[in-house]
Amino acid sequence: MATVSNDLLTAMNGTSSSSSTSNSSGLTDNSPDAIQNRFLTLLMAQMKNQDPNNPMDNSQLTSQMAQLSTVSGISQLNSTLATLMGNLNSSQALSSANMIGHSVLAPGNSVQLTSETTKDASGNDVTKQHAVMGVNLATNASSVVVTIKDSTGAVVRTMDLGTQASGVVPVIWDGTNDAGSKAADGNYTFTVAASNNGTAVNATALAFGTVASVSTAADGIKLNVSNIGTIKPTDVVQIL
């Protein structure tokens, strides 16, 4: 039976005094070229140190060459995939940048009430309040109720939207509270309750905001949205 010499073990472990520096760094290099070089080094050492009375079987050499081809192929595939992922991330970043300045609806329960002053037909100043939010219904609903609360948790306005079809339902609040007076501008929160003939319907509250910027991170592309925060592009339910 063939024996394994110290020279072969040295080549495999990369501890040769003449190439300790290159081997120690090369062992961590899994590029196709590095893998092929290590294989050829091992193969040459194995052939050089084989027992002349019991030489390497051709089938063993063929098997080792096939393994080298498989490992090199996998390494090249991984390198190609890494390049494709990098290109995809760059493409997504450029695509997401087109959303800057656009308003979106995404899961969230915050709503901002603001005032806007315009001129009427007579040139007089007219101030109106408005706040935008939304509801995403899993199925049709015969009753959809939106409850708006202030920072203390007190109910400010209850809005009955009545019957609504499944999907995204934009909601606009004119700033009027349940007493009929105007609520103060500022940040509020809201909840949604929906049912269909007495059976609860899955309803997701949607916050409204404007995409201010796009950032890239290790976990992917992120949108920085006013009134909502940092979200993924896939979190956007509707672009307005």
Side-chain angles (χ1 to χ4, degrees):
M1 179 178 296
T3 59
V4 179
S5 70
N6 290 331
D7 289 341
L8 178 57
L9 292 176
T10 297
M12 292 180 66
N13 294 319
T15 57
S16 172
S17 59
S18 62
S19 59
S20 59
T21 302
S22 61
N23 281 340
S24 60
S25 60
L27 288 174
T28 61
D29 185 356
N30 290 320
S31 64
D33 288 342
I35 292 174
Q36 183 173 354
N37 288 336
R38 288 201 298 269
F39 172 81
L40 292 175
T41 299
L42 296 174
L43 180 61
M44 292 301 295
Q46 187 173 358
M47 295 180 67
K48 177 181 177 182
N49 295 279
Q50 66 182 330
D51 185 353
N53 296 320
N54 187 18
M56 181 187 299
D57 189 358
N58 288 338
S59 62
Q60 291 180 330
L61 179 60
T62 302
S63 175
Q64 292 182 11
M65 293 295 291
Q67 292 176 23
L68 170 64
S69 178
T70 299
V71 173
S72 297
I74 293 175
S75 181
Q76 290 175 344
L77 178 60
N78 289 338
S79 177
T80 301
L81 287 176
T83 301
L84 289 175
M85 289 299 296
N87 293 338
L88 178 60
N89 288 336
S90 298
S91 177
Q92 288 180 334
L94 291 174
S95 177
S96 298
N98 293 327
M99 296 181 65
I100 295 177
H102 289 272
S103 298
V104 299
L105 288 175
N109 67 340
S110 60
V111 57
Q112 187 173 37
L113 180 63
T114 58
S115 296
E116 182 179 6
T117 300
T118 58
K119 299 286 187 179
D120 62 13
S122 301
N124 298 317
D125 289 339
V126 178
T127 301
K128 294 183 179 181
Q129 290 179 298
H130 73 279
V132 182
M133 66 203 91
V135 179
N136 193 7
L137 299 173
T139 62
N140 295 338
S142 59
S143 173
V144 180
V145 177
V146 175
T147 303
I148 302 173
K149 301 179 181 180
D150 61 18
S151 58
T152 67
V155 175
V156 176
R157 176 70 185 276
T158 301
M159 303 174 65
D160 188 348
L161 306 182
T163 301
Q164 297 291 337
S166 61
V168 177
V169 181
V171 180
I172 298 178
W173 176 35
D174 63 1
T176 303
N177 59 27
D178 284 338
S181 58
K182 294 293 184 179
D185 286 355
N187 296 321
Y188 295 81
T189 60
F190 70 102
T191 57
V192 181
S195 62
N196 190 34
N197 298 321
T199 301
V201 172
N202 185 16
T204 303
L206 302 176
F208 172 87
T210 301
V211 179
S213 62
V214 177
S215 58
T216 57
D219 54 348
I221 307 299
K222 296 296 179 65
L223 303 179
N224 302 309
V225 185
S226 62
N227 191 51
I228 299 178
T230 302
I231 63 175
K232 299 177 181 179
T234 53
D235 291 332
V236 175
V237 176
Q238 190 174 81
I239 302 175
L240 302 176

